[in-house]
Amino acid sequence: MTGYGSERDAYLKRLRRIEGQIRGLQRMVEEDKYCIDILTQVSAATKALQSFSLELLDEHLATCVVQAAASGGEEADLKVREASDAIARLVRS
């Protein structure tokens, strides 16, 4: 079971909204909209993805990592390392 299972529908709804933003960006380019207007929408889509990522990470830490830490051993070490790597990727992006 994934840690986000209880929020799956809400996450999918958010991702569909972000997908709509990306399709809107494609339309704007196809319609030769003003560059600054497109960049504004890129910023909004980027923020939406960042917000989604942080929420998913929080959920992962609160469920998967906490459960693994309670069990201890190699699984706990692996989950902490995975979370740390994920945080590093998010910070770099």
Side-chain angles (χ1 to χ4, degrees):
M1 178 76 176
T2 56
Y4 60 84
S6 63
E7 297 295 321
R8 184 174 183 262
D9 290 339
Y11 286 152
L12 288 171
K13 183 177 179 180
R14 287 180 71 182
L15 288 170
R16 285 186 198 103
R17 192 174 311 125
I18 294 167
E19 180 183 23
Q21 287 178 292
I22 302 304
R23 281 195 308 271
L25 283 166
Q26 290 171 330
R27 241 183 340 273
M28 290 177 81
V29 171
E30 288 170 353
E31 296 170 1
D32 291 323
K33 297 294 183 181
Y34 186 55
C35 298
I36 297 302
D37 293 339
I38 295 171
L39 289 170
T40 299
Q41 293 306 311
V42 167
S43 178
T46 300
K47 289 288 186 191
L49 277 171
Q50 288 171 338
S51 175
F52 174 79
S53 297
L54 290 174
E55 191 170 322
L56 189 59
L57 177 63
D58 185 54
E59 187 77 28
H60 178 70
L61 292 171
T63 56
C64 301
V65 175
V66 168
Q67 290 171 4
S71 298
E74 289 182 29
E75 181 70 14
D77 293 340
L78 174 66
K79 292 295 181 188
V80 169
R81 198 167 35 254
E82 284 177 344
S84 179
D85 291 346
I87 292 167
R89 284 191 302 274
L90 287 172
V91 169
R92 284 191 298 263
S93 64

